[in-house]
């Protein structure tokens, strides 16, 4: 594995599999498939003996033997290539073919490319759902919240929003970058995938967070305030998309510039701002509490 980032002033790891390394990995699969060679050659030889007897011995034993050898070798080579292309670590077994291909090829910036692909595979589906929730095309069973409980519901919602800001910031600026910075073993890969799934789980919570506001049927006196209880996650989702854009830039870094130490890498400065609706909602809730 060629290290392209050593001494280049970055905490991120940039490695790339060379042709020799790819060939070595394939050879391991060739060795594993080699027992098939003997069985195929024996089967082919038996078939040719019978065929030779039928056609009257017009081909020499060396000819049939060479044909059986070529067939056996072809089968083993094909099987080893197929096994190599189909292989993926257990942690990526259920992921998309695009993600597994990135891992197999391991081109420069593959750690960021893999992270980005996993996020796209999982977050895009969640984004479709939250869009349906916000536009009202996703059915959500309503829940009536009575007057004594609504104020607690509102305060709890605001408090959880602040926790989300802190959590997302730590994941995108510390947890995932730390996991990307070192992926030398399959155990390191598991840590990276786990960090990605942690962000996906928070994104899934954002979807549920928006659904809560749609589900809630407030007391009549709180209807005015509740109008601003929706679409609080837009800035958070924008921040995640900003993070994905940074991963894309890292994954496309120029290898030559990286080796020279002149590559311009983006900083992990991501803003998860407070949605405008929250400020107005807080003001309306205070009015509601004073009624």
């Amino acid at each position: 594995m060629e290290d392209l980032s050593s001494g280049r002033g970055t905490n991120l790891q940039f490695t790339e599999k060379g042709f020799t390394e790819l060939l070595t990995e394939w050879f391991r699969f060739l060795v594993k498939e080699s027992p098939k060679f003997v069985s195929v050659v024996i089967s082919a030889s038996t078939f040719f003996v019978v065929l030779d007897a039928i056609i009257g011995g017009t081909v020499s034993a060396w000819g049939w033997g060479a044909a059986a050898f070529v067939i056996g070798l072809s089968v083993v080579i094909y099987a080893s290539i197929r096994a190599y292309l189909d292989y993926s670590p257990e942690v990526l077994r259920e992921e998309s073919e695009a993600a597994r291909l990135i891992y197999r090829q391991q081109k420069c910036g593959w750690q960021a490319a893999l992270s980005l692909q996993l996020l796209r595979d999982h977050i895009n589906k969640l984004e479709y759902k939250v869009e349906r929730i916000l536009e009202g095309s996703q059915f959500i069973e309503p829940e009536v919240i009575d007057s004594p409980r609504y104020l607690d519901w509102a305060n709890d919602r605001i408090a959880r929003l602040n926790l989300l800001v802190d959590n997302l910031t730590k994941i995108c600026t510390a947890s995932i970058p730390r996991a990307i910075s070192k992926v030398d073993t399959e155990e390191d890969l598991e840590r990276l995938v786990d960090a990605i799934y942690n962000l996906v789980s928070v994104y899934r919570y954002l979807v549920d967070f928006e659904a809560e506001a749609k589900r809630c049927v407030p007391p009549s006196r709180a209807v005015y305030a509740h109008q601003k209880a929706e679409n609080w996650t837009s800035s958070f989702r924008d921040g995640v998309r900003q993070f994905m854009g940074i991963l894309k830039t890292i994954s496309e870094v120029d290898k030559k510039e990286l080796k020279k130490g002149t590559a311009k890498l983006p900083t992990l400065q991501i803003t998860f701002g407070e949605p405008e609706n929250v400020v107005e909602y807080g003001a309306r809730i205070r009015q509601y509490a004073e009624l």
Side-chain angles (χ1 to χ4, degrees):
M1 183 78 70
E2 183 183 6
D3 188 351
L4 305 173
S5 56
S6 178
R8 301 301 174 186
T10 174
N11 292 325
L12 297 174
Q13 181 190 52
F14 289 91
T15 58
E16 184 176 65
K17 277 186 180 179
F19 176 75
T20 303
E21 207 165 7
L22 292 171
L23 194 62
T24 301
E25 288 186 356
W26 167 72
F27 186 75
R28 294 194 189 102
F29 285 93
L30 181 65
V31 171
K32 290 180 181 179
E33 298 293 334
S34 59
K36 291 180 180 178
F37 175 76
V38 176
S39 60
V40 171
V41 169
I42 292 174
S43 298
S45 299
T46 302
F47 171 77
F48 289 143
V49 167
V50 175
L51 181 63
D52 187 60
I54 294 173
I55 64 177
T58 57
V59 181
S60 67
W62 283 104
W64 290 127
F69 179 86
V70 170
I71 291 173
L73 186 61
S74 300
V75 168
V76 169
I77 290 175
Y78 173 79
S80 63
I81 292 174
R82 187 72 266 165
Y84 174 69
L85 294 177
D86 289 342
Y87 171 76
S88 65
E90 184 66 32
V91 70
L92 296 178
R93 199 68 52 84
E94 301 300 323
E95 302 300 337
S96 67
E97 175 57 28
R100 296 198 300 272
L101 182 61
I102 290 170
Y103 176 78
R104 282 198 301 269
Q105 294 179 335
Q106 292 193 19
K107 297 179 179 180
C108 180
W110 71 270
Q111 298 91 338
L114 177 61
S115 301
L116 176 60
Q117 186 61 51
L118 291 174
L119 288 173
R120 282 174 173 168
D121 291 341
H122 295 282
I123 282 181
N124 283 351
K125 296 176 183 178
L126 295 172
E127 183 61 24
Y128 297 149
K129 185 174 181 179
V130 77
E131 287 174 359
R132 291 196 302 271
I133 290 172
L134 292 173
E135 70 183 13
S137 61
Q138 176 84 23
F139 174 74
I140 299 173
E141 186 174 357
E143 178 185 358
V144 177
I145 305 292
D146 58 28
S147 186
R149 286 196 302 143
Y150 185 75
L151 192 59
D152 291 336
W153 181 91
N155 290 331
D156 175 68
R157 186 168 171 80
I158 294 173
R160 283 184 290 140
L161 192 72
N162 294 328
L163 290 175
L164 280 170
V165 174
D166 183 59
N167 191 244
L168 281 169
T169 302
K170 288 178 179 177
I171 292 173
C172 293
T173 62
S175 177
I176 293 179
R178 184 169 56 247
I180 289 176
S181 68
K182 183 180 180 296
V183 190
D184 296 328
T185 65
E186 289 195 7
E187 186 177 347
D188 294 333
L189 179 64
E190 289 178 5
R191 292 194 187 97
L192 174 58
V193 174
D194 182 69
I196 295 298
Y197 267 82
N198 189 27
L199 179 54
V200 172
S201 69
V202 175
Y203 209 94
R204 186 174 291 109
Y205 184 84
L206 294 178
V207 177
D208 295 337
F209 193 80
E210 289 292 1
E212 283 181 10
K214 287 287 187 182
R215 181 179 299 111
C216 175
V217 179
S220 57
R221 292 186 297 122
V223 169
Y224 175 71
H226 194 72
Q227 291 172 350
K228 293 296 180 178
E230 299 177 7
N231 198 19
W232 286 12
T233 65
S234 57
S235 64
F236 298 159
R237 290 164 23 240
D238 287 344
V240 172
R241 284 191 287 270
Q242 181 185 348
F243 176 64
M244 292 170 70
I246 291 173
L247 290 177
K248 186 175 187 295
T249 301
I250 294 173
S251 70
E252 296 172 348
V253 66
D254 186 273
K255 184 169 64 173
K256 293 180 180 178
E257 291 185 1
L258 192 63
K259 286 184 175 180
K260 293 177 183 178
T262 58
K264 296 181 180 179
L265 298 173
T267 57
L268 291 169
Q269 295 179 346
I270 302 165
T271 303
F272 295 100
E274 185 177 55
E276 294 180 5
N277 281 358
V278 177
V279 177
E280 190 168 351
Y281 180 73
R284 293 186 181 188
I285 280 298
R286 285 191 293 272
Q287 294 176 4
Y288 166 74
E290 292 170 357
L291 293 177

